[in-house]
Amino acid sequence: MSSSAARRFSHLSDSELIGLIRGYHEAHVRDLEAAATLARRVEDRHAGSPHFPAGLADLLARMAESVGSHQHREEAVLFPIILSGEGAMLRQPIAALGTEHDDLQDGLERLVRLTRDYTPPAEACASWRKLYELCRKYDEEFREHVQLEERILFPRFL
Ligand SMILES: [Fe+2]
Ligand SMILES: [Fe+2]
């Protein structure tokens, strides 16, 4: 999301933003779990292929878990405090969540490198291509979601 795209959402209320963010949360867990399952299948089918990235399925499974637990902290702790109007006490939790964003971005950068920027080799089967499309979708949406939090929602409480 560019800064002008981020500005498009800056007029939304806290609760409207949180509704939008919850939609990203659901999609991320769904997409990462589907991608991990698909990656296992493709990995089994192409066992021994020099091109299928070693460790991709494990990375996706770890990402599904860490993204899920980060999001759970936002939904169980942060969002209820924001919605209750007690946002003044949020400086510290927001800093911690920002550090988690950095860690999650590191995982994403590993995914970009492992998949060569989501570029399947010429011999890739349909499932392999679908897997990379799913990873690319997650990549775009995750970056949008973090921008919504870091550029619009969180600064309201800092
Ligand atoms: Fe979030
Ligand atoms: Fe977040």
Side-chain angles (χ1 to χ4, degrees):
M1 181 181 296
S2 66
S3 57
S4 65
R7 270 199 299 277
R8 271 204 345 256
F9 297 102
S10 57
H11 66 284
L12 296 180
S13 69
D14 297 344
S15 87
E16 288 168 331
L17 269 174
I18 286 172
L20 197 59
I21 288 168
R22 282 184 198 279
Y24 280 101
H25 285 185
E26 276 175 31
H28 292 344
V29 170
R30 200 175 51 233
D31 290 342
L32 285 172
E33 285 177 351
T37 304
L38 196 52
R40 292 251 184 264
R41 245 190 351 246
V42 178
E43 200 170 64
D44 288 348
R45 196 180 307 154
H46 296 267
S49 155
H51 294 293
F52 192 76
L56 179 57
D58 287 342
L59 173 63
L60 286 164
R62 280 200 308 278
M63 287 171 71
E65 221 175 272
S66 46
V67 165
S69 70
H70 168 78
Q71 295 181 162
H72 177 72
R73 276 190 286 285
E74 291 176 341
E75 297 201 14
V77 181
L78 188 76
F79 296 166
I81 296 177
I82 288 178
L83 294 171
S84 75
E86 303 290 322
M89 40 198 296
L90 288 175
R91 182 172 292 271
Q92 225 173 1
I94 283 176
L97 291 165
T99 305
E100 290 182 11
H101 287 170
D102 295 342
D103 295 341
L104 297 173
Q105 301 269 17
D106 289 346
L108 186 54
E109 296 309 331
R110 273 198 295 283
L111 183 65
V112 171
R113 281 196 302 276
L114 264 183
T115 59
R116 299 174 189 256
D117 202 11
Y118 314 115
T119 311
E123 78 268 24
C125 62
S127 303
W128 192 336
R129 291 174 194 280
K130 192 173 156 213
L131 167 63
Y132 279 18
E133 271 167 38
L134 200 51
C135 290
R136 184 189 291 280
K137 170 181 185 280
Y138 167 74
D139 180 314
E140 287 173 7
E141 292 181 354
F142 180 76
R143 292 177 202 271
E144 287 170 5
H145 154 216
V146 168
Q147 294 285 307
L148 282 178
E149 292 177 350
E150 294 201 343
R151 285 184 189 243
I152 305 179
L153 184 64
F154 292 179
R156 293 180 184 176
F157 305 96
L158 293 175

